[in-house]
Amino acid sequence: MSAPSTHPSLGPSRSGGRERRLRPPRALTVVGPRLVLATAALVLGVALLLDPPGLSFPTWFVLIAGASIVLGEVMPSLMVSRHAAPISTAAAVALAMTPAVTPGDGFASAARVIAILGIFFLASQVIAWLLGRPAQLGPAAARFLGAAATTVACRGISTEGRGTLLQWAWGGDLSSPVAATLLLLCAVLGWLVERASQVLVQVGSREVGAPGAQRALVLDSVTSGAVAASGPLIAVSYPVLGLLALPLYVLPVTLVLLSQRRYLAVQRAQGEALVVLSRIPAIAAGGRPGHPQRVADLSVEVGRRLGLTEGSLHSVERAALLHDIGQVGLEVPLEHGMTIDASPQSLETVIESSRRIAQTALDTPGLEEVLAAVHEPYRQQLEIGRELPVEARIIKVVNAYDDLTEGAHGQRVVHLALERLHLGLGYEYDPEVVEALDEVVSQG
């Protein structure tokens, strides 16, 4: 299940806009996910051959950790997105660092623990399939590879006379802070392997380069990293807390996760509300269907070309969707809803209406200032030193461009529109923004 996103699609939009997502090489989109699945299958196969778990009854801690892995993979409510399953990750890392997997087994081999982890991850996908939910083989395989890397680092690397890192940590040869630090480094290694594998899976599903992908990738990475760090804490606490170690650390993570999902759901609902509001001018004021979405799509691309952060791009997109909302205050609608040739009086009405709507109906900090400045000429910044928000300067240029092209992409139409914009450089439009727009549409 994907994490809720506040970003409308910048691909082929409902308005008929061009696809503007960055496309990874086609070969990588095919090879990436298959490479992850093949590597996971190979690792599990080798582990089963080297040291199969057998029929010995595992410890209760292993069973609880396994149940947590299965629940974390099967229940969408316990996932940030299909590429980040905190409960599953925390349980897998804790299991990788727990010495015994069967009573009296001492320090189980890396192969045996990897085999047990693989069985739990496979079981989660089988259960998901039986419940009628889509299996997430790629993301689950990536998490398995991360846990396997942690296991190898803890259990699979042995030094002569001293054994493995896990034996150092649990054998009293190291102080508790040093042992915890080394275990944490093992968890970080597993996290890096998992993140790299998840990126390969996302490339295959064409999520990389999609709108909001960078923001989602950062969110998933931070969440997975923070949770992976809890694995060593669970393992170190196990001798003292016993079976309570896992639930005591996992329960707070679960509560935070549920709160985060609720927050993201609210953000998604707000994004959907903005899209609905953006259609009002086309219905009530004679605007053009699809114009706000096209302006939002292109404004984000121009903002990205100018080097804006993901947060600023989100502000650009949000304001671009609503840049014409003030037209509902006009007694006589503009012809086709175009503001490029609107009279100063009409623009004043649009600006004032936008400001009122933003103040009373939209609880979004900063939006009022941007909407009010969208129709201000760039000369205001040059002549009287009034700083116009960069979001407003971008939307003003892109809005004028779409007014001139009306969504058409023919070479002559685009050339004439850009020529018209260049006539207003430094007076009506920000030259830097126009240059960025020129680059974007030329490469489109």
Side-chain angles (χ1 to χ4, degrees), residues 296-311:
D297 290 352
L298 188 51
S299 293
V300 169
E301 290 303 311
V302 172
R304 185 172 287 116
R305 174 72 62 168
L306 291 171
L308 270 60
T309 64
E310 281 291 315

Side-chain angles (χ1 to χ4, degrees), residues 86-100:
I87 306 303
S88 172
T89 300
V93 174
L95 182 54
M97 296 179 176
T98 302

Side-chain angles (χ1 to χ4, degrees), residues 9-74:
S9 174
L10 301 183
S13 68
R14 290 173 291 240
S15 62
R18 288 178 295 178
E19 183 172 335
R20 294 185 179 275
R21 67 172 59 185
L22 301 176
R23 297 182 179 181
R26 180 174 177 79
L28 191 58
T29 63
V30 176
V31 174
R34 295 179 181 178
L35 179 62
V36 172
L37 289 172
T39 304
L42 178 62
V43 169
L44 178 56
V46 170
L48 288 170
L49 287 174
L50 291 177
D51 193 358
L55 299 177
S56 301
F57 188 81
T59 63
W60 284 107
F61 182 83
V62 172
L63 291 177
I64 293 174
S68 300
I69 291 173
V70 172
L71 288 175
E73 293 290 333
V74 170

Side-chain angles (χ1 to χ4, degrees), residues 90-169:
V93 174
L95 182 54
M97 296 179 176
T98 302
V101 295
T102 57
D105 196 25
F107 291 93
S109 69
R112 175 168 294 191
V113 174
I114 290 172
I116 292 174
L117 286 168
I119 290 171
F120 285 137
F121 276 102
L122 271 178
S124 71
Q125 299 308 298
V126 172
I127 292 173
W129 176 74
L130 291 175
L131 293 175
R133 295 172 182 165
Q136 306 289 352
L137 289 175
R143 284 187 281 275
F144 166 66
L145 288 176
T150 298
T151 304
V152 170
C154 290
R155 301 170 180 267
I157 302 175
S158 178
T159 58
E160 186 176 354
R162 301 196 66 181
T164 64
L165 173 60
L166 209 60
Q167 290 172 319
W168 301 356

Side-chain angles (χ1 to χ4, degrees), residues 24 130 139 181 204 206 260 286 333 340 348 375 378 428:
L130 291 175
T181 301
R206 301 183 185 277
Q260 184 185 51
I340 188 170
E348 282 296 326
H375 301 291
Y378 181 63
E428 195 71 22

